Amino acid sequence: MKKVVKFGGSSLASAEQFLKVGSIIKADESRVYVVPSAPGKRFSEDTKVTDMLLRAYESASEGKDIAEEIKAIKARYDEIITGLGLEGFSLDKDFEEITKILKENPQKDYAASRGEFLNGKIMAEYLGIDFIDAAEVIFFNAEGNLNDYKTYKTLAARLEESQRAVIPGFYGMGKDGNVKTFSRGGSDVTGSIVAKAARADVYENWTDVSGFLVADPRIVPNPKAIKYITYRELRELSYMGASVLHEDAIFPVRHCGIPINIRNTNAPEDAGTWIVESTCQKQDYVVTGIAGKKDFCTIFITKAMMNAEIGFGRKVLQAFEENNISFEHMPSGIDTMTIVVHADEFIDKEQRVVSAIHRLAEPDSIEIESGLALVAVVGRGMKSASGTAGKLFTALAAKGINIKMIDQGSSELNIIIGVKNSDFETAIKAIYDTFIVEKKK
Ligand code: ADP
Ligand code: ASP
Ligand code: MG
C-alpha cells in the first residue's frame, strides 16, 4: 500500500498544525510521499504566505524596498521552525537568495512558488525524509500546460530513488527554464500528479473540513459530508463554485483507478469523502451535492418562427464567439432563446454582442437581464429517482423564490436552476433542507 498525502495551507499554517500533520503521517507508514502547500491563514483575518509573497513581488517590480515584507514572511517560517524544535536548521540562506533574485529579476511565478518550496524544506527536515524540488520533476510545455510525457518519466524515475519524500506543491519548471505555477489552489494538482507517477493506491488530500460537504459550509451551517462522490459529480460541483479541490486535480488520477480521499487535519478520525470513478455504494440521499455561483446575465432573444429557421442558433452563438465569450447555458422555446453568460465576461462587451446578434440573426427583440444566480443540484441518484424536479420546485416555491431558468443535463446528473442573486443563499438552504434534513425525518 502506497499513499500520497497533500496538506493544504491551513493544515500547515503554524507549528501547532505541523505537529498534527506529523502525527497523521507517522500514524500510517504507507503515507510515503508528502505534498505540502505554503502556510495559509491561522485565523480568518490572517494573510496566506502566497499572498504575502505576491505583494513582495509587486513591490520589487515597482523598485521598492522589500526588506520589511521579506522579514514578515520569514517570521512565519521561523515561528514554525522554532515551534518544531528544529535545532541547527535555518532558511536564512534561502531568504537571502530569494531577496536577491526578487530585487534583480522579479518574476511573479517564482515569487509565488517560494511559499511551497520553503515549507517543503521544513517538512522534509521535520520528517527526516528526502526533499525533491518540484522544478526538477514537473514540467510545463510552451502553451503553459503540463508536459505529461516529460513529467511522468522524470518524476517516476526520481520517486523510484526515494522511498519517502516531500515534493512541494503548486509549481514546476516552465518551457523557458523559469519556475512556473499552476493557478491558485494548485497544490491539489501536484498531489494528483505525484499520485499518478508513484502509482499510489490512494491520494489523500488533507484540508480543514471533514470532506466534500453537501453544500458550502459558509451558506449552510454544518452540512453533512458526502461519503462517496464520482469524478463527474465532483467536476459539476467544482465548476459551480464548490472550491474544496482544484478543478484540474482529478485529471491525472481519474483514469488510473486512484481514488482521492478528502480528509480533515483537525479531525483525522473522520472518514472524509471518497472521490471515485464509479461506485455501487448505497447513497443516503438522492442529491449528492449543491453548489452555485452568482452574477450571471441572460440575453433573451425572440423571433417569430425561430424554430423553423435552420441555422438561427448558430448565428446567435457566432455573435458570442466573435466577442470571445463562452456561454454557460442555452434554454430555448419555439420562438425564444436565452443565452446565459457570466457577467464578468459580458458586461464590457454587451452592446457589441447585441449589435452582432442583430447583424447575424435578425431577431425581433433582444432583452438583457443581470443579477442571476445559478444553483446546481447534482446527483448520480437522480437518474433512477422520480419526482426530484417536483420536490425541488416545491421547496423553492415554499420560500417564495421565483425560478427564472431551468436546465437539466441530458445525463440526468444535474439540474441547474436560475434564481435572483438575492435569493441565492435561501435557495441553497431550502434545497438542502428538503433533500437532506427532511429525508431523515
Ligand atoms: P486547502 O487550503 O486545504 O487547500 P481550501 O481552502 O482550498 O483548503 O478548501 C477548503 C475550503 O473549501 C473549506 O474550508 C470550505 O470553506 C470551502 N468549501 C466550499 N464549498 C465546500 C464544500 N461543498 N465542501 C467542503 N468545503 C467547501
Ligand atoms: N499556496 C497556493 C495558493 O495559495 C497553492 C495552494 O495552496 O494550493 O493558491
Ligand atoms: Mg485548496
Side-chain angles (χ1 to χ4, degrees), residues 6 185 188 244:
K6 178 259 170 181
D188 290 333
V244 196

Side-chain angles (χ1 to χ4, degrees), residues 6 8-10 188 206-209 211-213 215-218 242-244:
K6 178 259 170 181
S10 53
D188 290 333
W206 291 81
T207 181
D208 60 353
V209 278
F212 208 106
L213 308 173
D216 189 331
R218 290 161 295 190
S243 54
V244 196

Side-chain angles (χ1 to χ4, degrees), residues 6 8-9 37 48 184-188 205-207 243-246:
K6 178 259 170 181
S37 283
K48 291 181 175 185
R184 295 299 303 265
S187 298
D188 290 333
N205 187 295
W206 291 81
T207 181
S243 54
V244 196
L245 191 75
H246 190 291

Side-chain angles (χ1 to χ4, degrees), residues 6-10 36-40 48-51 54 112 115-116 169-170 182-189 246:
K6 178 259 170 181
F7 292 89
S10 53
S37 283
K48 291 181 175 185
V49 164
T50 308
D51 292 310
L54 285 168
E116 271 70 12
F170 193 37
F182 293 103
S183 56
R184 295 299 303 265
S187 298
D188 290 333
V189 184
H246 190 291

Side-chain angles (χ1 to χ4, degrees), residues 160-440:
E160 287 267 302
E161 293 165 17
S162 281
Q163 299 220 309
R164 306 174 77 94
V166 173
I167 307 97
F170 193 37
Y171 70 93
M173 176 67 78
K175 177 86 173 141
D176 58 3
N178 292 317
V179 166
K180 183 169 164 47
T181 61
F182 293 103
S183 56
R184 295 299 303 265
S187 298
D188 290 333
V189 184
T190 308
S192 191
I193 292 168
V194 174
K196 178 174 172 178
R199 298 216 179 91
D201 298 284
V202 179
Y203 167 26
E204 286 181 349
N205 187 295
W206 291 81
T207 181
D208 60 353
V209 278
S210 290
F212 208 106
L213 308 173
V214 174
D216 189 331
R218 290 161 295 190
I219 300 176
V220 174
N222 289 319
K224 289 206 153 283
I226 300 167
K227 286 188 194 147
Y228 282 86
I229 184 169
T230 64
Y231 289 126
R232 286 178 57 214
E233 288 173 309
L234 179 99
R235 180 117 178 92
E236 297 282 345
L237 290 168
S238 304
Y239 183 72
M240 286 300 280
S243 54
V244 196
L245 191 75
H246 190 291
E247 252 175 68
D248 297 339
I250 60 173
F251 295 116
V253 294
R254 76 183 290 178
H255 296 303
C256 303
I258 303 172
I260 305 175
N261 187 199
I262 309 271
R263 300 284 291 268
N264 189 347
T265 299
N266 305 315
E269 60 289 352
D270 291 353
T273 299
W274 285 95
I275 307 169
V276 296
E277 187 175 357
S278 183
T279 174
C280 56
Q281 292 281 341
K282 206 177 151 301
Q283 276 184 290
D284 294 337
Y285 311 100
V286 170
V287 166
T288 305
I290 309 155
K293 280 192 203 164
K294 285 185 179 174
D295 294 326
F296 289 88
C297 294
T298 51
I299 298 93
F300 178 69
I301 303 156
T302 63
K303 186 170 189 180
M305 308 289 286
M306 179 190 290
N307 62 323
E309 186 180 328
I310 290 170
F312 185 84
R314 178 182 48 77
K315 291 174 199 159
V316 169
L317 292 181
Q318 192 181 332
F320 289 86
E321 190 179 340
E322 282 180 3
N323 286 285
N324 208 13
I325 298 171
S326 59
F327 72 96
E328 299 286 324
H329 295 279
M330 190 177 60
S332 62
I334 302 174
D335 292 333
T336 64
M337 180 173 174
T338 307
I339 309 284
V340 181
V341 291
H342 203 272
D344 281 353
E345 277 191 77
F346 178 68
I347 280 185
D348 291 343
K349 300 176 183 167
E350 63 167 28
Q351 295 311 320
R352 268 191 275 154
V353 175
V354 169
S355 94
I357 299 174
H358 276 297
R359 171 170 50 84
L360 294 160
E362 299 175 345
D364 297 335
S365 70
I366 301 177
E367 248 175 77
I368 301 177
E369 232 184 276
S370 64
L372 182 82
L374 295 182
V375 177
V377 181
V378 177
R380 59 188 183 280
M382 296 196 309
K383 203 157 58 176
S384 43
S386 57
T388 310
K391 240 173 132 179
L392 180 61
F393 302 148
T394 310
L396 297 177
K399 295 280 173 201
I401 297 171
N402 178 24
I403 301 177
K404 301 181 79 68
M405 186 205 93
I406 303 159
D407 197 355
Q408 176 164 30
S410 48
S411 57
E412 289 185 62
L413 190 68
N414 63 5
I415 300 177
I416 312 266
I417 52 155
V419 297
K420 277 198 298 208
N421 269 347
S422 54
D423 285 333
F424 179 68
E425 283 85 6
T426 319
I428 291 188
K429 281 192 205 124
I431 300 168
Y432 183 86
D433 284 348
T434 297
F435 287 97
I436 312 296
V437 181
E438 282 167 21
K439 159 88 198 308
K440 279 188 300 185

